[in-house]
Amino acid sequence: MKFLTMVTTLNPEIATNPPPALMGAIMQLGMEAGAKMIETGGMALAGKVTTRSGKMTTDGPYAEAKEVLGGYAIYQLETEAEAVQWSERFIDLHRQHWPEWDGEVTILDLQQFNMGG
């Protein structure tokens, strides 16, 4: 099963200055994940396209990010519980190395669909 984890920073005023110790710990966690972690990267909100009651609205693109989302990782794992465990470990590194950071990890199950063809 594939899972997408997305990190959201809840106090963006400090989001651009993570401590070096945290970054090193995150790199170590990624090495521990090995082949289970398929991809990882950073994210910032670039825009939104919405439809409501038949009307489409567009917000963006933004000259600068209004929200700092943080980053993402895609894992190939056996269970949802394993995705939760990796996310808890990631958040715990923040608690240890950057206690003033507030954030959350959203976990999405990436289900495969046959789009025909």
Side-chain angles (χ1 to χ4, degrees):
M1 299 167 62
K2 281 186 186 176
F3 296 94
L4 169 66
T5 61
M6 298 184 305
V7 180
T8 304
T9 297
L10 301 177
N11 52 347
E13 65 278 1
I14 69 164
T16 58
N17 297 311
L22 172 65
M23 299 311 293
I26 290 172
M27 296 281 284
Q28 179 63 38
L29 185 65
M31 291 184 348
E32 286 180 39
K36 293 178 181 184
M37 186 183 293
I38 299 170
E39 183 178 330
T40 187
M43 299 185 311
L45 185 60
K48 293 182 184 180
V49 179
T50 305
T51 183
R52 281 204 178 116
S53 302
K55 182 180 177 188
M56 182 170 57
T57 59
T58 302
D59 188 12
Y62 306 131
E64 60 184 66
K66 290 183 180 179
E67 289 179 41
V68 176
L69 297 180
Y72 74 93
I74 299 175
Y75 291 90
Q76 182 73 45
L77 304 169
E78 296 296 318
T79 66
E80 292 175 2
E82 195 175 356
V84 170
Q85 290 170 348
W86 282 106
S87 298
E88 287 175 339
R89 290 181 66 187
F90 181 83
I91 289 291
D92 194 47
L93 292 177
H94 284 72
R95 290 179 350 137
Q96 292 173 35
H97 299 286
W98 201 9
E100 58 274 2
W101 179 84
D102 294 324
E104 64 187 13
V105 174
T106 301
I107 304 167
L108 302 173
D109 183 347
L110 300 179
Q111 301 187 10
Q112 304 287 318
F113 294 103
N114 183 350
M115 299 299 283

